[in-house]
Amino acid sequence: MTETKAFPPTRRWRIAALIVVTILLHVLAIHWGEASFNAAKADDQASSMSVTLVPLKQPKQPVSLPVATKQKASRPKPRPVPKAAPPTDTSTSSVTDASSVTAPAVPTSPEPASGDTADAAAPAATSADDKTAPKQQEQGTHYQFAPPPSADLEYEVHAFFDNLDWHGTSTQAWKADGGRYVVDGEVYVRMFTKITFLTYTSQGDLNEFGVSPEIYTEKKRNRAATNTHFNRERNLVSFSSSTTTYPRVGGEQDRASIVWQLAAIGRGDPAKFAPGAVIDMFVAGVRDGEVWRMQIIGQEDIRLSDGAHQAWHVVRQPRPGSYDQRLDIWLDPGRQWYPVRLRFTETNGDYLEMSLSKLKTR
């Protein structure tokens, strides 16, 4: 019996050459893919938007806006004992005493005031039966405003954090019906399943202050939901995640309502939007609040999925040394002043950008 070889020598060389060529093609494909990825990343970085802020003074808190209530009560200072008036000037002294009692802005109550709330430069937190509550509400800023029509908005999301690029979707549902409004928002990505990073809801009134929230609810991934209350009866802003409170004087906003408040001001009073102008508003977060200075940068050309648009660029720049986010908003007058782009930037450079991709009015 003769032994047969599996492959003749010539065929073995052909197979070996084919294997070598296949390996070379894979190596070239890997290098080509890496070069293409780097080029695309370089193009994305080259096309990214750089924002130059107009140098403005940091916001000084107006008298009409709230100051946080401190938890520890300060000891009242001893009140001087008034000198007795001569019997002959009884009628004159009684008139003088009455005017001296009604003149101060802070009620002369025997109970100690808490912290800085005794300061006449800011309204104190009040209860429902406090007679000064209506006066405090009049201290808020009134705007000429026209809320945008109810609509469903969908955004393409591009985020960069932990040195990784993330892409996802965000939705906002804006409903303005009569004297009420509701904002429902969600940010998520879809991989093997839907992963939700953030949900939020703001609801309240549409009144002389514009968009006037009653409650703001926020839920981040792997964290408990938080509520921010704008209590009408007690004229108080309070938080479920902290004991900090602020007096409610009218015009306060939450992190979702402020975008729609700016849109409503733009539709109702476009003169407020001029390059270099500022709009100060008190914004309550999930644990505390502060005055946000919204800087009007100007009108800019931006590109969305359906083409080029011209939008007003508004920036909230945190105070120096703050770890809070910077917020960039682009409002499109050609689309009822809807927010067509939003960008949230952390102090370490991480960011989340939302660009409008779908708009459906109701």
Side-chain angles (χ1 to χ4, degrees):
M1 177 180 288
T2 60
E3 181 181 358
T4 59
K5 295 183 179 179
F7 296 105
T10 304
R11 191 174 180 183
R12 287 202 300 269
W13 279 108
R14 289 179 181 176
I15 294 174
L18 180 61
I19 293 173
V20 172
V21 171
T22 302
I23 294 174
L24 289 175
L25 288 175
H26 279 79
V27 172
L28 290 174
I30 293 172
H31 282 286
W32 177 85
E34 183 179 2
S36 299
F37 177 80
N38 291 334
K41 188 173 181 180
D43 291 341
D44 290 341
Q45 293 176 351
S47 60
S48 62
M49 184 179 301
S50 61
V51 179
T52 302
L53 290 180
V54 177
L56 296 174
K57 295 180 180 179
Q58 293 300 319
K60 294 182 179 179
Q61 189 156 282
V63 173
S64 63
L65 294 175
V67 175
T69 301
K70 293 184 178 179
Q71 300 302 313
K72 295 183 180 180
S74 60
R75 296 182 180 179
K77 296 181 180 180
R79 301 174 64 182
V81 180
K83 296 181 180 180
T88 56
D89 296 331
T90 303
S91 60
T92 305
S93 62
S94 62
V95 174
T96 304
D97 291 342
S99 62
S100 64
V101 171
T102 57
V106 180
T108 56
S109 171
E111 298 180 359
S114 60
D116 295 341
T117 56
D119 191 350
T126 57
S127 60
D129 57 351
D130 194 335
K131 296 180 180 180
T132 62
K135 293 182 180 180
Q136 290 182 354
Q137 291 183 2
E138 295 175 359
Q139 294 179 357
T141 303
H142 293 201
Y143 295 99
Q144 298 179 25
F145 76 104
S150 299
D152 295 317
L153 301 92
E154 185 173 312
Y155 299 85
E156 295 176 352
V157 175
H158 176 208
F160 179 81
F161 59 91
D162 293 337
N163 293 320
L164 295 173
D165 284 306
W166 298 81
H167 296 273
T169 305
S170 176
T171 59
Q172 277 200 95
W174 161 256
K175 182 178 180 181
D177 184 11
R180 299 284 297 176
Y181 84 91
V182 178
V183 179
D184 284 311
E186 184 179 24
V187 180
Y188 60 90
V189 297
R190 289 190 182 275
M191 300 177 71
F192 299 105
T193 184
K194 181 179 178 181
I195 302 175
T196 301
F197 291 100
L198 172 68
T199 58
Y200 56 88
T201 299
S202 174
Q203 56 183 313
D205 295 329
L206 299 172
N207 53 30
E208 66 273 19
F209 298 109
V211 179
S212 184
E214 287 182 351
I215 184 171
Y216 172 70
T217 302
E218 180 177 299
K219 172 71 171 68
K220 291 184 177 180
R221 179 172 170 79
N222 300 327
R223 294 186 185 181
T226 60
N227 294 319
T228 302
H229 299 273
F230 302 79
N231 193 289
R232 303 299 200 256
E233 290 74 21
R234 299 171 59 197
N235 279 327
L236 202 68
V237 180
S238 59
F239 310 87
S240 65
S241 57
S242 76
T243 58
T244 303
T245 60
Y246 299 86
R248 177 184 169 271
V249 299
E252 297 84 2
Q253 302 296 323
D254 58 52
R255 292 180 178 179
S257 67
I258 186 172
V259 177
W260 296 98
Q261 173 78 329
L262 290 169
I265 294 173
R267 293 186 78 239
D269 190 4
K272 293 286 186 183
F273 283 75
V278 296
I279 300 176
D280 287 345
M281 284 184 283
F282 181 85
V283 179
V286 296
R287 296 182 58 85
D288 54 20
E290 64 175 326
V291 179
W292 283 17
R293 167 152 288 182
M294 309 306 298
Q295 305 174 338
I296 312 299
I297 303 301
Q299 286 189 295
E300 297 178 354
D301 292 324
I302 63 173
R303 180 164 291 277
L304 302 174
S305 59
D306 62 345
H309 296 266
Q310 193 171 56
W312 279 100
H313 184 189
V314 185
V315 175
R316 183 256 170 163
Q317 179 72 23
R319 297 172 183 267
S322 171
Y323 290 97
D324 208 352
Q325 291 177 330
R326 165 177 163 161
L327 172 61
D328 292 77
I329 305 170
W330 285 265
L331 303 169
D332 188 353
R335 289 187 174 184
Q336 302 288 354
W337 289 79
Y338 288 118
V340 294
R341 178 173 287 169
L342 300 166
R343 185 183 179 102
F344 305 87
T345 307
E346 304 289 349
T347 54
N348 64 355
D350 291 353
Y351 66 87
L352 183 147
E353 184 172 285
M354 302 162 48
S355 298
L356 185 67
S357 57
K358 293 182 181 178
L359 172 63
K360 181 180 179 182
T361 56
R362 300 179 186 176

